[in-house]
Amino acid sequence: MDGISLLTITVLAVFVGFEVVSKVSSTLHTPLMSGANAIHGIILVGAIIVAGQATHPWILAVGLLAVVLATANLVGGFVVTDRMLEMFRGRKPDKAALPGSAPGSAPGAAPGSAPGAAPGAGQGAAQGETGEKTEARR
């Protein structure tokens, strides 16, 4: 094949690849990235074989460049896949907050107490007691 044919095929492959990838929904992105990572692993093995059997310095340089780029592509694919999987995982609850307490309230504060309230506050306040009666009740 001559250079113009190879350039035409490359340009068409770039356009088709861009159109196909841009139409993929986020739900399908992670499984497709896992498959692409497997293919990139095969490409990396091929690049290592080519670089290992190089007899000319120019071929060795191109083979080593292919190994570096394939490695970067493979690692980047795993990083992107890990980030996408993080999006689908549930958020971890705050360890300091207790179930039923208001966000920002002190650990051990009663449910429904004001954020930042002392532990035990709000138990009698909801029933109309003053702070003195609450302290006397303890």
Side-chain angles (χ1 to χ4, degrees), residues 57-85:
W58 173 249
I59 296 174
L60 179 63
V62 171
L64 291 177
L65 179 65
V67 169
V68 168
L69 293 177
T71 302
N73 199 7
L74 183 66
V75 171
F78 279 112
V79 168
V80 168
T81 301
D82 187 51
R83 282 189 176 179
M84 288 294 292
L85 289 174

Side-chain angles (χ1 to χ4, degrees), residues 16-84:
V16 169
F18 178 77
E19 286 298 316
V20 168
V21 169
S22 66
K23 303 289 189 258
V24 173
S25 69
S26 62
T27 307
L28 291 176
H29 184 270
T30 303
L32 291 176
M33 278 299 294
S34 297
N37 287 340
I39 293 170
H40 294 186
I42 296 169
I43 292 170
L44 178 60
V45 170
I48 291 171
I49 290 171
V50 168
Q53 295 182 354
T55 56
H56 192 272
W58 173 249
I59 296 174
L60 179 63
V62 171
L64 291 177
L65 179 65
V67 169
V68 168
L69 293 177
T71 302
N73 199 7
L74 183 66
V75 171
F78 279 112
V79 168
V80 168
T81 301
D82 187 51
R83 282 189 176 179
M84 288 294 292

Side-chain angles (χ1 to χ4, degrees), residues 6 8 33 49 61 66-67 71 76 84 100-101 110 123 125 132-134:
L6 292 174
T8 303
M33 278 299 294
I49 290 171
V67 169
T71 302
M84 288 294 292
S101 62
Q123 294 172 348
E132 295 170 0
K133 288 183 182 180
T134 304

